[in-house]
């Protein structure tokens, strides 16, 4: 009888406290592990979010805005020249830089201030776009095709700037530096894809 009581007392006094202590340690360890897992997941989502935000806000979005403005300004240039030269406006004139250049030169020689201002605005927009490419180009996709388009744009803009600095009324296309017209479409597709991926990450966080 005494041995049974002694065993029960031993169980109560020693084993149960040890078991309780182990339970506390296990719960504390599990809570810390769970907290670590949650923080790790949050940190991973934060890094992914910042990755896409940098790509979108520093490179693709400003690049898209400037390229779209390039297109709008060039369209305006063609429409003004068509009106002044009594030509019918056509989308095909986007590709026919030789014809546009001829009329552009004629009008500039006649001191057409509107075209001069528009030409300056186009070059200024090119230079802003060039700055984005040079500053944040490393955030771009690494596909060779896209990189080639960016290189073409840089070449086009630099020659354009050199021509105007030397007061030469000519376009870069005359020097083998065509404007990469497909760049706007490629950037738009990439921007939409990045935004879609970013939205998925934001939804996961919520």
């Amino acid at each position: 009888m005494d041995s049974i009581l002694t065993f029960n007392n031993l169980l109560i006094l020693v084993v149960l406290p040890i078991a309780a202590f182990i339970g506390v340690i296990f719960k504390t360890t599990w809570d810390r592990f769970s907290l670590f897992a949650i923080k790790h997941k949050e940190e991973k989502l934060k890094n992914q979010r910042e990755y896409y935000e940098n790509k979108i806000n520093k490179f693709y979005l400003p690049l898209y805005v400037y390229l779209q403005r390039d297109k709008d300004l060039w369209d305006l240039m063609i429409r003004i020249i068509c009106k002044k030269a009594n030509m019918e406006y056509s989308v095909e004139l986007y590709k026919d830089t030789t014809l546009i250049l001829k009329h552009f030169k004629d009008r500039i020689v006649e001191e057409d201030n509107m075209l001069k201002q528009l030409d300056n605005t186009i070059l200024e927009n090119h230079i802003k776009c060039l700055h984005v490419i040079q500053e944040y180009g490393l955030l771009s996709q690494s596909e060779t095709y896209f990189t080639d388009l960016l290189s073409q744009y840089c070449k086009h803009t630099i020659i354009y700037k050199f021509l105007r600095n030397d007061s030469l009324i000519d376009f870069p296309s005359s020097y083998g530096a065509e404007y990469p017209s497909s760049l706007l479409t490629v950037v738009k597709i990439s921007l939409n894809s990045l935004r879609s991926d970013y939205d998925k990450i934001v939804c996961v966080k919520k």
Side-chain angles (χ1 to χ4, degrees), residues 77-95:
M77 172 79 80
I78 293 174
R79 290 179 184 276
I80 291 175
I81 289 176
C82 285
K83 185 175 181 179
K84 291 179 178 290
N86 294 318
M87 295 191 306
E88 184 178 351
Y89 173 83
S90 170
V91 178
E92 292 300 317
L93 289 173
Y94 273 89
K95 302 175 183 178

Side-chain angles (χ1 to χ4, degrees), residues 26-161:
F26 178 79
K27 184 178 184 303
T28 302
T29 303
W30 177 257
D31 289 344
R32 287 181 178 177
F33 175 77
S34 299
L35 183 61
F36 172 79
I38 292 172
K39 287 185 176 180
H40 178 72
K41 182 179 179 181
E42 290 178 347
E43 187 67 23
K44 183 179 179 181
L45 289 173
K46 178 185 176 184
N47 291 337
Q48 288 179 334
R49 189 179 71 249
E50 290 178 349
Y51 169 80
Y52 284 103
E53 286 176 349
N54 283 332
K55 276 182 170 290
I56 293 171
N57 297 329
K58 291 184 177 180
F59 185 72
Y60 282 94
L61 183 57
L63 188 64
Y64 172 75
V65 170
Y66 288 132
L67 290 173
Q68 183 61 55
R69 192 160 186 247
D70 274 352
K71 181 181 178 182
D72 294 340
L73 290 170
W74 183 244
D75 179 74
L76 179 59
M77 172 79 80
I78 293 174
R79 290 179 184 276
I80 291 175
I81 289 176
C82 285
K83 185 175 181 179
K84 291 179 178 290
N86 294 318
M87 295 191 306
E88 184 178 351
Y89 173 83
S90 170
V91 178
E92 292 300 317
L93 289 173
Y94 273 89
K95 302 175 183 178
D96 194 354
T97 55
T98 303
L99 180 61
I100 294 299
L101 177 58
K102 177 183 180 302
H103 287 284
F104 178 77
K105 283 182 175 180
D106 292 343
R107 302 297 163 185
I108 291 298
V109 169
E110 294 173 5
E111 294 296 320
D112 192 316
N113 289 327
M114 180 182 291
L115 286 180
K116 279 187 177 181
Q117 291 176 13
L118 183 55
D119 182 61
N120 290 335
T121 303
I122 291 174
L123 178 55
E124 287 172 2
N125 193 70
H126 277 25
I127 292 173
K128 289 177 182 178
C129 192
L130 177 64
H131 175 73
V132 172
I133 295 172
Q134 292 176 333
E135 192 74 17
Y136 301 107
L138 292 177
L139 295 173
S140 68
Q141 309 293 353
S142 58
E143 288 85 350
T144 302
Y145 176 64
F146 185 55
T147 303
D148 288 344
L149 290 177
L150 293 177
S151 297
Q152 290 174 36
Y153 189 94
C154 293
K155 180 181 178 182
H156 176 89
T157 302
I158 291 170
I159 292 178
Y160 196 170
K161 188 172 183 295

